[in-house]
Amino acid sequence: MRRSLLTLALLVCVLSFSYTVRVGDTIAIEVFQQPSFSRTVKVAFDGTIPYPYLGNVKVAGLTVDQIKEMIEQVVRRFIREPDVTVYVLEYAPMYVYLQGALNRSIDISTHPELTLTKLFSMLGLDIDSGIDYENVQLVRDGKVQKFNVVPFFFEGRIENDVLLKEGDRIHLPPLRYEKTVQVGGAYSLIEKYVPGLTLKTLLLKLGTLDEEKAFIESAHLSIDGETKKIDLRRVLDGSFDVPLKPGAFLYIPKREERYIYVVGFVPEPGLKTFSAQERQTLALALAKAGGISKDDEKWVEKILIKTPDGTVQELPSSVLARAHEIDVPNRSIVETVKHPEFYVYVQGAVSKKGRIDFDPNEERTLRRLIDKVGLENPNVEWEGKAKINNDIVVDLRDIVHADKDVPLSLGDSILISYEPFIVQVVGAQVGVLQLNHYEPKTLNYVVKKFSIQPEQIESIVLIREKNTSAYDPSQLIKDQIEVPLQRLDTVLVKQIGVNAVYLIGDVSSYVEFKSNEPITLQRILAKVGLNDLRRIEKITLDEEPLDHSKDLPIERGTILKIELKKPIHVTAMGYLKNTGRVEFNYQETADLKTLFAKLGGLIIGPELYYVSDKVFIMRDNTIAAQYDAQKIFMGVENATLQDNDFVYVTVKEPNQVYVFGRGVPNGLVKFTQAEEFDLRTLVGKLGGIKEGISRKVTIVTESGIDTFLWDEYANKALTNNSIILFDVDKENYVYLIKADGTPDMVYIDQNTTLYEVLMKAGIDKNYRKIEIARGTEKYSLELKDIAQARSYVMKPGDVVKVLDLPQNFAYVLGEVNKPGIINLTEGTTVLQAIIQSGYFTNKAAASTVWLYKGGIDGKPIRVNLAGAIGGGRIEYDPILESGDIVFVPSDIFKTALEWIPVINNLIVFYNNISEFFK
C-alpha cells in the first residue's frame, strides 16, 4: 500500500512538471513509414491543430505523450501497431513585459529559471540606469507585488527574488527628478542625489570644463527655488563650494559656437572652427581649409559668402589680395568657385600628345592648341590636317599661315594627321622618295632629282595600281611633257643593256645579274632575301600568277609584282588576363592556344571563384564555334583562327547561396571552383553552428522548401542560388533577394505590406514577378501593377525573391568593367548606364562615347562624358530608350562607323550566348 502511494506521488510529480503544449508551438507528428499520417503543424490561436480523421482537435494544455495517445487511437484504425512519435519542434515565445523607464517585451522561453535580478543582469541594468529601484512592481494575474532592488546592486541579493512567468508585467518607475541633481545648458547630466554631494563634486563628474564651449564664469545654481549666479572657476580652484540638495539644478550657459563652412576649390573643405580670440576673416577661413596657392589663384572664378539669413555676397577673385580685411559672419558658408576645367585630347603628328589643359584666360581655339603642342615638322603645317571629333576637317595651312581659326569645346578629340607624299623608285637608284611641301609633285622633278642621264636610260615607267605608262627620259628632263604624280606611285627606271629585273609591290627592288648569269625566279628571290617562301602570298607577271615554288626562267627587264602574306588579326575580349587585338605573323600558328598565350592566358584555377568558361569564335556576324576554356587550358581542344575573327570568353560564375539567420554571417556565400557545393562545406565556411543556435535548417529552392535538423554526420547537396535559413529572426525582419542577386534584410512592423518592403529595399517599380517563402510554403505573385503589392501583408521571417527582369533594356559595350545587357528604368541616362555596368575601365575614351539610338543601324550620337572622370561639367547626358546601344571606345580617333564591326560581334554574342545562361 505504501509502495503504491509512493508510485502515485512520483507520477503526480512527473506529470506536474511535464511541459504542456501552448498556442504557437510547432509540433512534429511522425508515424514511421507512413508519410500520409506524418506532418508538422502549428498550434492555432484557439489551441487546435488539424489532423486527418480528427479534424481540428484541441491540444493546448496537453503533454506530447497525451497527444501521442490521441493520435495512436486514430492511426490504429488503419495500421496495426503504429510507431508514433510526437515532439515539440519549435516553442512559441513566452513574453514578459517591461513598462516605465524601459518599454519592451522579453521572450523568456529560452531562459529557464529566470528571476527578476537575473533579468536585470541580462539587460545590463545598473544603479545609474535612471530607474527608481526602490519601487519596482510585478503584476501577475491582476495582483501587484512591490520590490526594493537597491540591495542587489550593493549586496548582490534581494528578498523574495521571484521566478518570472509568461505574461508577467514589470513596472520600472523612472527616477524622479526631486531625488536627483541636474546639469543643463552647455553640459547635460542627471545624477542621483546622495547625502554630502557638493557643487565641486558634481563638476568633477562633468570632466574638464571647456571655456570655449561654455560661459563657466556665469553659471546659475537653483536650490529650493532660489537661483544665484556662480563663477565656476572659483569652485574648481577651491575658493569656495556649495552643498547641494535633492532637486538642485545647475545651468551652464552655452557659448555660441564660432565656425564657417568652407567648400569648393580648397585642399581641405569642411567645417572650420574659430576660438573666442580669433577674428573670423576670409583669409583665416581659407587658411584653415588649406589655403590657395599663388599658382592656383588663377583658377578661382569667384567667391560666394552665404550668411545664415540667406544673403549671398559674390566677390571677384581679386578679393584674395585683401582677404584679411574681409570679415565673414559666424556660421556662414564660404564657397570658392573654380573656373571650369577646359581640356582637349590630341594625337598624331604633334610634339606633345594626350590631354592638353588650358588656363582660364587662354583662347580655346585650334590655333592656340597648335601653339601649345607644336607640330612635328614644316610639312605638317603646310600639308597636314586637323580632324576634330572625327567630323570637322581643317587644313592646317589655313590655321597656321592664314587668318582662319576654329573654336574648341571641352573634351574635343583632335587628330593632327599628315600623309607624306611618297614615291617608290625602282632602278639603279632604289628607294623611297618623300617630297616636301615646297617640291613639285611631278615625274619630271623626280627624274631631275635623281640626276638621271637620258643616254643610259631605256625608259621611265610609271606604275599606278594596274596601269603602266612608259616615258622618254629626255622629254621629261626638257619638260616637253609634264607628268603629275600621286602618292604611292612607283617609278621604274629601266637602264639600257643591263641584265636585271624589277620588283614592285610589297618588295621594291632592282635585281641585277652578271651578263652571262641566267635569271631565274629562285635566284631573284634569293638576291632580295626571300628564302623563306612561306612569306610569299603571290608573285605575278603581267597580272598572271607564277608558281613561286619552282625555279622558273625570267626574261631580262621583266617587272614582277610580289605580294607578301599579310598578318592575321584577331580581336579577343571577355574574361581574360588581357584583351585586345592580336597580330599573328606568317611564322605563327593562328589558333586559340597561341592567341591566349599572347594575351597572358585564360583565368583558370581551382582556388578562384570566377574563371574563364566558354570560348566563342564569331565570324561574319555569326557564331562559328564554341569551346570549353578548361579544355583549351589543358590542351584537349584548340581551333584555327582566321583574319578578323572575334573571340569572346565568358565568365563562369561561382556556385552561391544566400544565408540568413542568427549566429551566422547573413548574406551571399560563394564557393570556389574546387569546393564541394554541399551543406557541410557551407557550415564550415560559416565557422560552424554556434552553441545555443537552433540546428533546424530550411533550404528554399525553385522546386520547393525543405526543412530538417542538421548534424555533423549528415550532408546535403546544395542548389545554386538557393536560400539557406538557419535560426532566422521571425520577429522583426523580412529577408530579401533582389533581381541582381543582392541579399538584404528589411525591418518590419505589424501589418507591413509587400509594397512597403519593396520600397524600403529600393526595388524598382518595373519588377513584377515576386516569390515569397513562408514556413514550408512558397507563393509566386504576378503583379500587373506595383500598387497590387499593397494587398499582401508580410510576416517576419518571410523570404522575398524578385524573379524577373524589366522588359526595357539596353546594351553597354566596350571599355566598361561589366559589359552586356542592362535593365532600364525611367530616366536612365548614358552615364547612369555606364555606372550600372561597372564604370569606365582605365582604357576608356570617356570624351567619345557613342550612343546608337534604337540599335546598330540607328543614328550615332557622340556623348562627351570626360567630365565624369576629370571632374568637369557634363553638358549632354541623354536618356536611354529600349534597344539603344552605348559603346565606350578605347580609341578616340576612330569614327562611329569604324566601331560597327566590333559592336556587331558583341551584339551577336549577347543576343545568342545569353540563351545558354537562362
Side-chain angles (χ1 to χ4, degrees):
M1 181 66 179
R2 292 178 60 188
R3 182 177 297 176
S4 300
L5 289 175
L6 180 60
T7 303
L8 179 61
L10 289 173
L11 180 61
V12 171
C13 183
V14 170
L15 289 175
S16 64
F17 286 98
S18 296
Y19 177 79
T20 57
V21 171
R22 301 161 46 249
V23 171
D25 283 350
T26 300
I27 62 175
I29 302 171
E30 296 177 354
V31 181
F32 183 66
Q33 294 186 346
Q34 298 296 328
S36 60
F37 287 96
S38 301
R39 60 202 54 230
T40 299
V41 291
K42 190 171 186 177
V43 181
F45 288 107
D46 59 357
T48 65
I49 61 169
Y51 194 79
Y53 308 103
L54 273 179
N56 290 328
V57 57
K58 188 169 183 177
V59 296
L62 302 179
T63 66
V64 290
D65 289 334
Q66 291 171 327
I67 299 172
K68 172 185 175 182
E69 292 176 3
M70 182 170 53
I71 299 299
E72 283 179 339
Q73 291 177 8
V74 176
V75 179
R76 281 197 186 97
R77 302 177 194 171
F78 308 95
I79 302 170
R80 289 184 179 179
E81 298 181 356
D83 185 359
V84 178
T85 303
V86 178
Y87 58 92
V88 179
L89 185 64
E90 184 176 349
Y91 293 93
M94 301 170 63
Y95 289 111
V96 297
Y97 303 91
L98 304 182
Q99 300 171 340
L102 293 178
N103 285 281
R104 58 184 293 187
S105 58
I106 305 292
D107 182 7
I108 65 172
S109 61
T110 57
H111 300 280
E113 306 299 320
L114 185 67
T115 64
L116 190 60
T117 58
K118 288 182 180 178
L119 175 65
F120 288 175
S121 298
M122 186 175 73
L123 295 175
L125 300 179
D126 57 31
I127 192 67
D128 296 319
S129 297
I131 297 172
D132 186 357
Y133 289 111
E134 295 179 351
N135 295 290
V136 175
Q137 296 181 355
L138 174 65
V139 181
R140 178 182 296 169
D141 300 329
K143 298 179 180 180
V144 179
Q145 302 178 59
K146 290 186 178 181
F147 298 87
N148 179 6
V149 191
V150 172
F152 170 71
F153 297 99
F154 297 95
E155 302 174 14
R157 62 181 181 83
I158 64 171
E159 294 181 7
N160 190 24
D161 192 5
V162 65
L163 189 68
L164 298 180
K165 294 184 178 180
E166 182 182 10
D168 282 351
R169 288 187 293 119
I170 303 167
H171 181 65
L172 304 174
L175 196 63
R176 292 177 296 176
Y177 289 139
E178 58 266 24
K179 293 186 178 182
T180 65
V181 292
Q182 296 185 72
V183 180
Y187 295 89
S188 180
L189 177 67
I190 299 177
E191 184 74 13
K192 183 179 180 181
Y193 175 78
V194 294
L197 182 65
T198 68
L199 180 57
K200 185 174 182 179
T201 305
L202 182 65
L203 294 179
L204 292 176
K205 291 179 178 290
L206 295 175
T208 304
L209 299 183
D210 186 356
E211 294 190 47
E212 294 289 339
K213 176 181 177 181
F215 289 102
I216 64 174
E217 68 275 15
S218 302
H220 301 273
L221 178 62
S222 298
I223 300 177
D224 293 336
E226 181 182 349
T227 303
K228 54 184 176 180
K229 187 175 180 180
I230 293 181
D231 185 348
L232 299 181
R233 294 175 297 185
R234 296 184 58 206
V235 178
L236 291 171
D237 66 16
S239 299
F240 80 101
D241 201 356
V242 180
L244 301 180
K245 295 181 180 181
F249 184 85
L250 175 65
Y251 178 75
I252 307 175
K254 183 184 296 185
R255 196 182 296 276
E256 184 182 14
E257 294 181 272
R258 304 180 74 235
Y259 60 84
I260 295 173
Y261 285 101
V262 183
V263 297
F265 182 53
V266 289
E268 300 171 11
L271 178 72
K272 307 304 170 185
T273 58
F274 292 75
S275 69
Q277 294 75 32
E278 287 180 314
R279 181 182 169 190
Q280 290 178 274
T281 64
L282 177 60
L284 186 54
L286 294 176
K288 286 175 178 284
I292 299 175
S293 68
K294 286 293 182 183
D295 290 338
D296 286 338
E297 285 186 6
K298 64 187 175 183
W299 286 101
V300 178
E301 180 181 1
K302 57 188 175 183
I303 296 176
L304 302 178
I305 300 177
K306 305 172 185 177
T307 59
D309 62 2
T311 304
V312 179
Q313 183 182 7
E314 183 175 320
L315 303 175
S317 59
S318 59
V319 79
L320 291 172
R322 54 183 185 87
H324 60 283
E325 302 174 359
I326 300 175
D327 290 313
V328 180
N330 192 36
R331 303 189 180 186
S332 294
I333 300 173
V334 173
E335 181 181 2
T336 306
V337 181
K338 182 184 178 183
H339 281 290
E341 286 187 334
F342 188 88
Y343 52 86
V344 296
Y345 297 93
V346 181
Q347 292 291 341
V350 292
S351 300
K352 183 180 179 182
K353 299 179 177 66
R355 172 172 161 164
I356 306 299
D357 290 277
F358 287 70
D359 287 345
N361 56 351
E362 283 188 294
E363 289 187 353
R364 299 168 180 183
T365 64
L366 182 58
R367 178 181 290 137
R368 179 59 188 148
L369 174 65
I370 292 172
D371 291 340
K372 289 171 74 70
V373 300
L375 300 176
E376 285 184 347
N377 57 64
N379 286 330
V380 180
E381 66 183 61
W382 284 100
E383 296 182 341
K385 296 183 184 296
K387 180 180 283 189
I388 303 173
N389 298 328
N390 291 311
D391 184 15
I392 302 173
V393 179
V394 182
D395 288 326
L396 290 179
R397 69 167 69 90
D398 296 336
I399 302 295
V400 179
H401 300 288
D403 296 331
K404 186 175 181 179
D405 206 355
V406 178
L408 300 176
S409 299
L410 174 67
D412 279 348
S413 60
I414 297 95
L415 175 63
I416 304 297
S417 62
Y418 167 65
E419 187 178 355
F421 199 101
I422 293 175
V423 176
Q424 187 76 41
V425 179
V426 181
Q429 293 173 303
V430 179
V432 175
L433 175 63
Q434 178 179 340
L435 298 177
N436 293 308
H437 66 92
Y438 52 83
E439 294 180 293
K441 276 65 174 181
T442 64
L443 184 58
N444 310 59
Y445 178 77
V446 172
V447 172
K448 295 174 186 178
K449 188 176 180 71
F450 277 93
S451 301
I452 294 174
Q453 302 299 319
E455 62 273 10
Q456 299 176 359
I457 303 303
E458 178 182 320
S459 64
I460 303 294
V461 180
L462 177 62
I463 302 172
R464 181 178 297 157
E465 295 179 351
K466 295 183 179 181
N467 299 317
T468 302
S469 303
Y471 298 95
D472 185 334
S474 297
Q475 290 182 317
L476 294 172
I477 293 173
K478 296 176 182 178
D479 293 329
Q480 294 174 349
I481 57 173
E482 183 174 277
V483 180
L485 293 176
Q486 295 181 10
R487 281 184 173 84
L488 305 179
D489 278 349
T490 298
V491 176
L492 195 149
V493 182
K494 300 189 72 172
Q495 292 181 287
I496 297 174
V498 295
N499 193 29
V501 294
Y502 304 89
L503 304 183
I504 62 173
D506 292 334
V507 179
S508 297
S509 184
Y510 169 73
V511 185
E512 188 174 2
F513 291 78
K514 294 179 181 180
S515 59
N516 60 348
E517 184 181 2
I519 303 175
T520 65
L521 182 57
Q522 296 302 320
R523 287 171 180 264
I524 295 171
L525 296 178
K527 283 179 178 287
V528 295
L530 283 177
N531 298 309
D532 189 348
L533 300 183
R534 293 177 300 170
R535 292 182 60 191
I536 302 172
E537 182 70 31
K538 182 170 60 174
I539 299 177
T540 55
L541 172 61
D542 296 330
E543 301 298 325
E544 293 296 326
L546 299 179
D547 185 353
H548 58 268
S549 65
K550 298 179 179 179
D551 194 16
L552 304 174
I554 304 296
E555 295 183 5
R556 180 177 66 85
T558 297
I559 302 173
L560 298 177
K561 184 177 181 180
I562 298 180
E563 296 180 33
L564 300 179
K565 287 182 178 178
K566 303 296 186 294
I568 291 176
H569 294 93
V570 176
T571 300
M573 297 182 71
Y575 203 63
L576 293 161
K577 291 184 178 178
N578 293 288
T579 61
R581 186 173 172 86
V582 174
E583 179 178 296
F584 296 86
N585 61 36
Y586 77 96
Q587 294 175 315
E588 294 178 305
T589 302
D591 58 16
L592 288 174
K593 184 178 180 180
T594 308
L595 172 69
F596 296 139
K598 291 169 80 72
L599 289 171
L602 295 160
I603 301 175
I604 299 288
E607 76 286 356
L608 301 177
Y609 289 98
Y610 297 86
V611 295
S612 303
D613 188 18
K614 303 298 181 185
V615 178
F616 295 90
I617 301 175
M618 276 160 279
R619 187 176 296 150
D620 300 325
N621 289 343
T622 60
I623 299 173
Q626 171 188 340
Y627 299 92
D628 185 276
Q630 182 72 34
K631 292 182 179 179
I632 294 174
F633 179 79
M634 299 297 294
V636 177
E637 291 184 349
N638 200 4
T640 302
L641 300 172
Q642 298 180 15
D643 193 35
N644 291 321
D645 275 352
F646 183 88
V647 176
Y648 196 94
V649 180
T650 64
V651 58
K652 184 178 182 181
E653 303 279 346
N655 287 321
Q656 59 186 29
V657 293
Y658 301 92
V659 174
F660 296 108
R662 296 187 182 97
V664 294
N666 282 233
L668 185 63
V669 178
K670 297 182 179 181
F671 290 69
T672 67
Q673 300 297 320
E675 288 180 314
E676 293 293 333
F677 191 42
D678 55 31
L679 188 59
R680 181 178 295 161
T681 305
L682 174 63
V683 172
K685 291 171 73 69
L686 296 175
I689 299 178
K690 296 179 175 56
E691 197 70 33
I693 302 299
S694 171
R695 297 204 162 210
K696 186 180 74 170
V697 179
T698 299
I699 300 180
V700 182
T701 64
E702 292 184 0
S703 59
I705 299 176
D706 184 16
T707 300
F708 56 93
L709 290 176
W710 156 259
D711 63 61
E712 287 76 5
Y713 304 101
N715 201 6
K716 185 179 287 288
L718 297 178
T719 303
N720 201 29
N721 291 316
S722 58
I723 305 165
I724 314 298
L725 304 176
F726 288 91
D727 192 4
V728 296
D729 184 341
K730 295 186 178 181
E731 299 175 10
N732 302 295
Y733 289 96
V734 164
Y735 301 91
L736 185 73
I737 298 175
K738 301 178 182 180
D740 62 359
T742 305
D744 201 355
M745 297 169 59
V746 178
Y747 180 84
I748 68 170
D749 300 316
Q750 290 185 349
N751 299 320
T752 300
T753 66
L754 175 60
Y755 178 85
E756 292 172 293
V757 170
L758 296 178
M759 292 303 103
K760 284 182 179 181
I763 299 294
D764 186 79
K765 64 183 181 182
N766 285 336
Y767 294 106
R768 294 288 183 266
K769 194 172 182 182
I770 308 293
E771 184 178 272
I772 300 175
R774 176 177 296 165
T776 58
E777 299 179 344
K778 189 164 62 172
Y779 311 91
S780 293
L781 306 180
E782 294 281 350
L783 303 179
K784 295 181 180 178
D785 189 280
I786 194 66
Q788 288 182 315
R790 293 190 176 97
S791 303
Y792 297 91
V793 177
M794 306 305 297
K795 293 184 178 180
D798 284 351
V799 180
V800 178
K801 188 174 184 180
V802 180
L803 295 179
D804 64 346
L805 298 174
Q807 295 302 309
N808 296 329
F809 67 92
Y811 299 91
V812 182
L813 309 173
E815 294 298 334
V816 292
N817 289 305
K818 296 180 181 179
I821 302 174
I822 68 158
N823 310 310
L824 292 182
T825 58
E826 186 175 350
T828 300
T829 66
V830 173
L831 180 57
Q832 290 170 340
I834 290 171
I835 293 172
Q836 190 175 337
S837 299
Y839 205 58
F840 297 106
T841 67
N842 293 332
K843 300 177 184 178
S847 64
T848 313
V849 176
W850 292 106
L851 167 61
Y852 299 81
K853 293 299 294 181
I856 197 64
D857 296 325
K859 177 184 177 181
I861 300 172
R862 177 179 173 270
V863 182
N864 182 358
L865 297 180
I869 296 178
R873 296 175 183 171
I874 297 176
E875 304 292 343
Y876 179 54
D877 187 16
I879 294 175
L880 296 179
E881 298 175 347
S882 185
D884 285 353
I885 299 172
V886 176
F887 184 75
V888 181
S890 57
D891 185 348
I892 62 176
F893 300 106
K894 283 189 177 182
T895 67
L897 292 177
E898 289 177 290
W899 286 114
I900 285 180
V902 173
I903 297 172
N904 263 329
N905 280 318
L906 288 170
I907 295 297
V908 169
F909 169 75
Y910 284 110
N911 283 345
N912 289 276
I913 305 308
S914 58
E915 296 297 324
F916 290 101
F917 306 103
K918 287 185 176 179

